[in-house]
Amino acid sequence: MKIMKPAKLHYFKGRGRAETTRWMLAINNIDFINISLEDYNDFDNLKTSGKLPFNQLPLLELDDLKLSQSNAMISFLARRGDLYGKTNEDAVRCDMLVGAVGDFNVPAMQFAFKADKDEASRDLENSLKKFGKHFESILTQNKGKYLVGQKLSIADIIMGESLTSFIEFLPNCLDDYPHLKLLQETVVSEHNIKEYLNSGNRWRLPDEQYVIDIARVLCRPLPSHMSEPNRFVKG
Ligand SMILES: N[C@@H](CCC(=O)N[C@@H](CS)C(=O)NCC(=O)O)C(=O)O
């Protein structure tokens, strides 16, 4: 499928659930524009446009395709870019890893929403303790460089994305995981990924402002430790 126009990725002003799609667009060398929702009106307009299959974000527009569900987006992009290994067994290994990375990554997604940053850091460490040895052993059994087969796949990209956040939160956290460390370095050295990371499309690590931006768009309460937690709630 040849993509004619730059893709449009509708989301909040940050990484969140749209980030894996951004990395997969980048590795596929597909130009994209972040369309950031400012407030509830933007979300409401998008809902009434009929472009949102489930009234949820992110939304990825690829020419006439309107895609919802971030995991569907990234597997579509993996198939398009021949990043699903060579066989059906490789593909299911990729899916298992993408699922496991999603679980591993939960504390990174939640970090900005937590009041106690020491506790949030401990959650990251615990997740690494829980999953790191399994990821490391998969890489060891696969002779080191890639997670599935002997070529780059969606599993490596999604793992690289998550590990990059982990390192941003806890700079030395991969010191005991040499294969994961190498994998992260390999992924961020990919030309297209490097370009993306140095571009204006890459959002900073989620912070309090990001939490506020989401609450404003969704009209939902802020975490209770923040000031005026109900300031965006309607009615
Ligand atoms: N599994 C979906 C989750 C989508 C989701 O929960 N999106 C949130 C924003 S991150 C949303 O749109 N919330 C508003 C709603 O569900 O009404 C995905 O990964 O895309």
Side-chain angles (χ1 to χ4, degrees):
M1 172 197 169
K2 194 160 166 49
I3 295 163
M4 309 303 288
K5 292 185 273 189
K8 291 182 192 167
L9 186 59
H10 303 255
Y11 198 59
F12 310 110
K13 296 181 186 177
R15 299 183 190 177
R17 287 184 197 276
E19 195 56 20
T20 52
T21 297
R22 295 190 183 102
W23 284 57
M24 289 302 292
L25 287 165
I27 195 72
N28 273 278
N29 204 17
I30 298 172
D31 281 344
F32 69 94
I33 306 165
N34 281 323
I35 301 189
S36 306
L37 280 70
E38 292 284 340
D39 54 28
Y40 186 74
N41 288 337
D42 288 345
F43 193 25
D44 210 32
N45 288 338
L46 210 47
K47 285 179 182 172
T48 48
S49 74
K51 287 181 179 179
L52 295 177
F54 310 113
N55 277 355
Q56 286 183 310
L57 301 169
L59 164 72
L60 175 63
E61 293 190 77
L62 283 173
D63 290 336
D64 291 337
L65 272 181
K66 316 267 181 268
L67 303 182
S68 179
Q69 292 292 332
S70 50
N71 279 351
M73 295 171 195
I74 62 174
S75 60
F76 174 80
L77 292 167
R79 288 191 294 276
R80 184 185 181 278
D82 190 20
L83 291 160
Y84 239 131
K86 282 190 172 163
T87 64
N88 201 21
E89 287 73 20
D90 284 351
V92 78
R93 280 184 203 110
C94 286
D95 286 340
M96 281 166 50
L97 277 154
V98 169
V101 173
D103 296 341
F104 166 65
N105 201 45
V106 167
M109 296 281 255
Q110 291 177 342
F111 196 95
F113 296 83
K114 293 237 164 157
D116 181 339
K117 296 305 175 204
D118 290 337
E119 187 193 314
S121 299
R122 274 197 303 279
D123 290 346
L124 288 169
E125 282 161 359
N126 287 336
S127 193
L128 195 54
K129 220 174 267 169
K130 179 174 157 97
F131 286 99
K133 56 179 180 292
H134 301 297
F135 295 155
E136 191 70 17
S137 128
I138 289 171
L139 282 164
T140 309
Q141 282 168 30
N142 203 36
K143 311 272 185 291
K145 200 166 175 205
Y146 301 113
L147 284 160
V148 176
Q150 296 308 312
K151 68 189 196 92
L152 191 75
S153 74
I154 179 175
D156 303 309
I157 301 297
I158 299 310
M159 181 74 82
E161 188 276 311
S162 173
L163 293 175
T164 301
S165 292
F166 268 68
I167 291 174
E168 283 176 86
F169 287 120
L170 304 172
N172 301 319
C173 69
L174 295 185
D175 286 359
D176 294 334
Y177 302 93
H179 289 103
L180 282 180
K181 198 167 180 195
L182 180 65
L183 178 80
Q184 191 272 339
E185 287 162 3
T186 304
V187 171
V188 296
S189 306
E190 283 288 322
H191 175 74
N192 296 340
I193 295 288
K194 210 195 282 182
E195 276 204 341
Y196 160 60
L197 293 177
N198 289 323
S199 77
N201 271 341
R202 170 72 164 168
W203 287 102
R204 68 191 182 282
L205 212 52
D207 53 15
E208 197 163 285
Q209 187 57 50
Y210 171 70
V211 176
I212 293 171
D213 288 336
I214 294 178
R216 191 190 313 108
V217 173
L218 297 181
C219 293
R220 75 176 187 190
L222 291 161
S224 57
H225 68 274
M226 292 175 69
S227 69
E228 295 177 72
N230 288 320
R231 74 180 105 147
F232 301 115
V233 178
K234 287 190 175 186

